[in-house]
Short mmCIF file of all heavy atoms in Angstrom, two decimals:
data_model
loop_
_atom_site.label_atom_id
_atom_site.label_comp_id
_atom_site.label_asym_id
_atom_site.label_seq_id
_atom_site.Cartn_x
_atom_site.Cartn_y
_atom_site.Cartn_z
N LEU M 277 -38.38 54.33 -8.83
CA LEU M 277 -38.84 55.65 -8.42
C LEU M 277 -39.19 55.69 -6.94
O LEU M 277 -39.69 54.71 -6.38
CB LEU M 277 -40.10 56.05 -9.21
CG LEU M 277 -40.00 56.12 -10.73
CD1 LEU M 277 -41.32 56.62 -11.30
CD2 LEU M 277 -38.84 56.99 -11.17
N GLU M 278 -38.96 56.85 -6.34
CA GLU M 278 -39.49 57.07 -5.00
C GLU M 278 -40.98 57.38 -5.13
O GLU M 278 -41.48 57.72 -6.21
CB GLU M 278 -38.74 58.21 -4.32
CG GLU M 278 -38.73 59.52 -5.06
CD GLU M 278 -37.76 60.50 -4.43
OE1 GLU M 278 -38.17 61.23 -3.52
OE2 GLU M 278 -36.58 60.53 -4.86
N GLY M 279 -41.68 57.29 -4.00
CA GLY M 279 -43.12 57.44 -4.04
C GLY M 279 -43.59 58.76 -4.61
O GLY M 279 -44.55 58.82 -5.40
N ALA M 280 -42.92 59.85 -4.24
CA ALA M 280 -43.32 61.17 -4.73
C ALA M 280 -43.21 61.27 -6.24
O ALA M 280 -43.99 61.98 -6.88
CB ALA M 280 -42.46 62.26 -4.06
N ALA M 281 -42.25 60.57 -6.82
CA ALA M 281 -42.04 60.62 -8.27
C ALA M 281 -43.07 59.79 -9.01
O ALA M 281 -43.29 59.99 -10.21
CB ALA M 281 -40.64 60.12 -8.60
N ALA M 282 -43.71 58.86 -8.31
CA ALA M 282 -44.64 57.94 -8.96
C ALA M 282 -46.09 58.39 -8.87
O ALA M 282 -46.97 57.69 -9.38
CB ALA M 282 -44.50 56.55 -8.33
N VAL M 283 -46.36 59.55 -8.25
CA VAL M 283 -47.75 59.92 -8.03
C VAL M 283 -48.49 60.26 -9.33
O VAL M 283 -49.69 60.04 -9.43
CB VAL M 283 -47.89 61.07 -7.01
CG1 VAL M 283 -47.42 60.62 -5.62
CG2 VAL M 283 -47.15 62.33 -7.45
N GLY M 284 -47.79 60.81 -10.32
CA GLY M 284 -48.45 61.07 -11.59
C GLY M 284 -48.87 59.78 -12.27
O GLY M 284 -50.00 59.65 -12.76
N ILE M 285 -47.97 58.81 -12.29
CA ILE M 285 -48.30 57.48 -12.82
C ILE M 285 -49.45 56.88 -12.03
O ILE M 285 -50.40 56.33 -12.61
CB ILE M 285 -47.06 56.57 -12.75
CG1 ILE M 285 -45.98 57.06 -13.71
CG2 ILE M 285 -47.43 55.12 -13.06
CD1 ILE M 285 -44.65 56.34 -13.58
N ALA M 286 -49.39 57.00 -10.71
CA ALA M 286 -50.43 56.42 -9.85
C ALA M 286 -51.79 57.05 -10.12
O ALA M 286 -52.81 56.36 -10.17
CB ALA M 286 -50.05 56.61 -8.38
N ALA M 287 -51.81 58.37 -10.32
CA ALA M 287 -53.08 59.05 -10.59
C ALA M 287 -53.68 58.58 -11.91
O ALA M 287 -54.89 58.37 -12.02
CB ALA M 287 -52.86 60.55 -10.62
N LEU M 288 -52.83 58.40 -12.90
CA LEU M 288 -53.31 57.92 -14.19
C LEU M 288 -53.86 56.50 -14.08
O LEU M 288 -54.95 56.20 -14.59
CB LEU M 288 -52.20 58.00 -15.23
CG LEU M 288 -52.62 57.87 -16.69
CD1 LEU M 288 -51.65 58.60 -17.59
CD2 LEU M 288 -52.69 56.40 -17.12
#
Side-chain angles (χ1 to χ4, degrees):
L277 301 184
E278 57 190 272
V283 294
I285 293 172
L288 194 152

